[in-house]
């Protein structure tokens, strides 16, 4: 189920929406404002019109509390991922204040927490809840466009869809009563330079730094990893059952196509950022990266969602299982990005090649688009992925880890997590090859 949502894209988008006629009927309601805490480190120089995430949060608080004088209570999340304790604490605040509006501002953790609280409030009360999310990072933009929040489970040591994070899963199913508005100010987001973070956690300039904000390369490569995995799933579905051409498949194909286009456009601007080219259109590059992760988030919500029994996908399965405990120097986008070349490299090795007409193959069409080659083979895609990840200075997966990861221990963790999430395990060999190639780069 995809919640109804509206996107407001404009300068000072949150302020514009809160002052609009669309929000007028909610101005007398109490609201819960959830924001990310100020980072404990400086994530390096920003480019273009990027601003620190703390500035975005303070501006939102000023607009809500001072400029518009909305009745509100405020909750702050300092961790990289929300927990059930964060949800329960924020829920208690919202219920005591009688909040009918939930506003999430800043990082992906604050956006996911706001989504979870809005879902719980709507389910418990049986009435509509207005959810407004103002993403301040590229990771937050992906979180904003996907229905299902990812919650850190200490018991499973994993990032889980909300419905798997509590014993009472009925309270955590996305509700049509949650009316979502995404306010997007693409020219004012915390997007670090591509060359401001090198060799994270492995002796680079940010030794020991955890969860740095994703840059343009991270966003584009992560979005492409989701697209490659989604295209693979479509082709396997075709091979198994023929081409059903249902609405979901058509929508997934369209989202893959748009996400790929925005990702490639974003990557084309990376050389200008890396060379500090003053004539480069950094703002356009940022907007393309933002559009890529927004579409990738929709793709996850539509087809790769484990919370409603759907397929989580290989990159997301790896992130869900391993990111919090084994790769603490990365965030969701940096980790997903690090799987992209390994995923593409595995396709020809395991003879995962479309068995049907080239025009119907989502993988072939994707390969043709990104490589510019007429054949669009899986070898072409693998070669392109290796080249572009180097050109874009992708942070390798091993550099996101704490110490030297043991592949067998990681695979055991992945298998246990996929079993817990009722995910198919008939592609274990494929997952193993993707993980091995991603770690050994």
């Amino acid at each position: 189920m995809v919640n109804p949502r509206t996107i407001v894209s404009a300068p000072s988008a949150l302020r514009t929406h809160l002052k609009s006629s669309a929000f007028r009927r909610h101005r007398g309601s109490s609201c819960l404002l959830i924001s990310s805490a100020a980072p404990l480190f400086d994530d390096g120089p920003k480019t273009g019109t990027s601003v620190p995430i703390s500035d975005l949060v303070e501006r939102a608080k000023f607009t809500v509390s001072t400029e518009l004088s909305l009745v509100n209570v405020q909750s702050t999340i300092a961790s990289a991922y929300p927990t059930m304790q964060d949800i329960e604490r924020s829920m208690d605040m919202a219920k005591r204040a009688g909040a009918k509006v939930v506003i999430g501002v800043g990082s992906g953790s604050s956006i996911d927490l706001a989504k979870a609280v809005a879902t719980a409030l709507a389910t418990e009360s049986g009435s509509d809840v207005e959810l407004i999310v103002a993403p301040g990072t590229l990771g937050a933009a992906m979180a904003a466009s996907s229905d299902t929040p990812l919650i850190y489970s200490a018991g499973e040591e994993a990032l889980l869809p909300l419905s798997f994070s509590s014993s009472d899963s009925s309270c955590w199913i996305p509700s049509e009563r949650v009316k979502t508005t995404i306010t997007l100010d693409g020219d004012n987001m915390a997007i670090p330079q591509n060359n401001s973070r090198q060799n994270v956690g492995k002796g680079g300039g940010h030794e020991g730094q955890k969860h740095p904000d994703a840059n343009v390369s991270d966003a584009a490569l992560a979005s492409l990893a989701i697209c490659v995995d989604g295209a693979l799933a479509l082709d396997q579905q075709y091979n198994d059952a023929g081409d059903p051409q249902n609405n979901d498949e058509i929508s997934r194909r369209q989202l893959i196509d748009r996400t790929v286009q925005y990702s490639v456009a974003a990557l084309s601007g990376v050389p200008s950022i890396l060379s500090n080219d003053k004539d480069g259109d950094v703002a356009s590059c940022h907007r393309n990266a933002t559009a890529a992760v927004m579409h990738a988030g929709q793709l996850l919500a539509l087809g790769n969602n484990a919370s409603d029994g759907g397929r989580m996908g290989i990159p997301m399965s790896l992130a869900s299982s391993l990111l919090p405990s084994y790769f603490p120097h990365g965030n969701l986008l940096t980790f997903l990005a690090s799987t992209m070349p390994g995923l593409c490299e595995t396709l020809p090795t395991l003879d995962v090649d479309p068995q049907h007409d080239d025009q119907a193959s989502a993988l072939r069409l994707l390969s043709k688009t990104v490589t510019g080659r007429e054949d669009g083979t899986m070898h072409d895609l693998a070669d392109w992925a290796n080249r572009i990840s180097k050109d874009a200075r992708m942070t390798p997966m091993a550099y996101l880890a704490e110490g030297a990861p043991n592949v067998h221990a990681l695979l055991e963790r992945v298998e246990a997590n996929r079993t817990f999430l009722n995910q198919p395990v008939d592609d274990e060999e494929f997952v193993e090859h993707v993980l091995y190639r991603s770690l050994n780069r």
Side-chain angles (χ1 to χ4, degrees), residues 342 346 349-350 428-438:
T346 304
T349 303
L350 296 184
E428 286 184 28
E429 183 184 6
F430 190 92
V431 173
E432 179 178 355
H433 280 260
V434 172
L435 181 59
Y436 183 82
R437 285 179 168 79
S438 297

Side-chain angles (χ1 to χ4, degrees), residues 1-6 131 147 175-181:
M1 178 188 299
V2 178
N3 292 341
R5 59 166 58 91
T6 301
L131 171 63
D147 280 341
S175 171
E176 290 184 339
R177 291 192 174 278
V178 177
K179 313 299 180 184
T180 303
T181 300

Side-chain angles (χ1 to χ4, degrees), residues 39-350:
L40 299 178
F41 52 81
D42 180 4
D43 197 23
K46 304 295 189 286
T47 61
T49 54
S50 291
V51 296
I53 195 168
S54 56
D55 287 7
L56 301 172
V57 169
E58 290 307 312
R59 189 182 307 162
K61 290 180 177 179
F62 175 82
T63 297
V64 170
S65 300
T66 304
E67 185 178 7
L68 300 180
S69 301
L70 300 179
V71 178
N72 72 92
V73 291
Q74 298 185 8
S75 176
T76 301
I77 179 168
S79 56
Y81 313 103
T83 64
M84 287 304 302
Q85 289 73 27
D86 292 321
I87 297 172
E88 290 164 1
R89 173 176 54 84
S90 298
M91 274 286 294
D92 184 59
M93 294 176 65
K95 287 191 285 189
R96 282 191 282 114
K100 297 290 183 65
V101 178
V102 179
I103 303 175
V105 180
S107 67
S109 59
S110 60
I111 302 301
D112 273 344
L113 180 55
K115 286 162 32 181
V117 171
T119 298
L121 285 176
T123 304
E124 286 193 10
S125 67
S127 57
D128 290 350
V129 172
E130 190 76 9
L131 171 63
I132 304 168
V133 290
T137 66
L138 290 168
M142 179 178 284
S145 60
S146 177
D147 280 341
T148 304
L150 289 177
I151 309 300
Y152 178 69
S153 167
E156 296 295 325
E157 295 185 340
L159 289 176
L160 302 178
L162 185 56
S163 59
F164 285 89
S165 303
S166 169
S167 56
D168 186 7
S169 61
S170 62
C171 293
W172 309 112
I173 299 173
S175 171
E176 290 184 339
R177 291 192 174 278
V178 177
K179 313 299 180 184
T180 303
T181 300
I182 302 172
T183 61
L184 193 64
D185 186 354
D187 290 338
N188 286 286
M189 296 176 69
I191 304 176
Q193 289 184 167
N194 273 47
N195 58 359
S196 69
R197 166 170 47 78
Q198 295 296 321
N199 299 338
V200 174
K202 289 273 187 170
H206 294 278
E207 175 71 24
Q209 172 178 308
K210 296 187 178 184
H211 314 295
D213 291 336
N215 59 34
V216 168
S217 292
D218 298 327
L221 295 174
S223 299
L224 286 169
I226 293 170
C227 287
V228 171
D229 182 77
L232 173 62
L234 282 174
D235 284 356
Q236 290 174 335
Q237 176 183 337
Y238 183 102
N239 291 338
D240 292 341
D243 189 359
Q245 284 298 313
N246 57 49
N247 290 335
D248 277 355
E249 180 185 345
I250 293 171
S251 296
R252 281 198 292 271
R253 286 178 178 272
Q254 292 173 341
L255 280 172
I256 288 171
D257 182 58
R258 292 170 187 165
T259 307
V260 167
Q261 290 182 31
Y262 283 120
S263 299
V264 171
L267 288 171
S268 69
V270 168
S272 295
I273 297 177
L274 292 174
S275 63
N276 294 314
D277 183 359
K278 295 181 179 179
D279 295 327
D281 190 351
V282 175
S284 176
C285 190
H286 288 180
R287 285 193 292 270
N288 284 322
T290 303
V293 293
M294 293 283 288
H295 282 79
Q298 293 178 55
L299 184 60
L300 289 175
L302 183 64
N304 296 357
N305 189 346
S307 66
D308 59 4
R311 175 182 179 273
M312 177 175 273
I314 292 172
M316 284 298 296
S317 289
L318 293 174
S320 169
S321 311
L322 306 176
L323 179 56
S325 299
Y326 293 92
F327 296 91
H329 297 287
N331 57 38
L332 182 60
L333 288 190
T334 56
F335 184 88
L336 292 176
S338 74
T339 70
M340 198 279 291
L343 178 61
C344 293
E345 205 174 71
T346 304
L347 295 174
T349 303
L350 296 184

